Amino acid sequence: QGQLVESGGGSVQAGGSLRLSCVASGYTITPALMGWFRQAPGKKREAVAGIATGGYGTFYADSVKGRFTISHDVAKNTLWLQMDSLKPEDTAMYYCAAQVGTWGSWYVDYEYNSWGQGTQVTVSS
């Protein structure tokens, strides 16, 4: 049973940047698809970005396209989310997720079978 551990969250002013990291450990196979989700208080969890670890592409929600960049290093078993030009509406708990031994839609949370504990991102105006 593998695990995902996020880090890099924090507080930043609007227009600033943060870089989230997610280290995967204990998996016997590399997850085919990994993603970042977020959930703000009182709101549903939403997909932010996804990446096919085999090099088949990256995917972004319209709300973050052009501002966020997802990347992955197989050798380091690490997923990143570079977040630039942050806005107050980006404030949320951010979760790393992985599809291990399966392949589904990148933006559908129930397609992921492994989740991290989350890291808080707060953007002030």
Side-chain angles (χ1 to χ4, degrees):
Q1 185 76 13
Q3 67 172 352
L4 302 171
V5 179
E6 303 101 330
S7 61
S11 297
V12 65
Q13 289 191 325
S17 298
L18 284 173
R19 191 189 195 201
L20 305 184
S21 299
C22 171
V23 178
S25 62
Y27 296 101
T28 56
I29 58 174
T30 300
L33 195 65
M34 298 189 74
W36 289 96
F37 286 75
R38 67 186 181 188
Q39 187 167 22
K43 294 189 176 181
K44 292 176 61 176
R45 184 164 56 189
E46 63 173 351
V48 174
I51 186 167
T53 59
Y56 297 112
T58 56
F59 318 96
Y60 297 94
D62 287 343
S63 59
V64 307
K65 204 171 291 183
R67 300 188 298 121
F68 290 11
T69 304
I70 189 171
S71 59
H72 178 260
D73 187 316
V74 175
K76 296 181 179 180
N77 293 319
T78 302
L79 178 74
W80 293 279
L81 184 68
Q82 177 67 41
M83 305 186 294
D84 299 317
S85 302
L86 282 161
K87 304 175 181 179
E89 51 264 43
D90 294 318
T91 295
M93 184 71 78
Y94 282 71
Y95 298 91
C96 170
Q99 295 186 15
V100 184
T102 185
W103 179 271
S105 300
W106 76 270
Y107 54 87
V108 179
D109 57 0
Y110 60 76
E111 298 277 19
Y112 292 80
N113 51 14
S114 186
W115 291 82
Q117 83 289 349
T119 185
Q120 178 68 38
V121 172
T122 303
V123 184
S124 58
S125 57

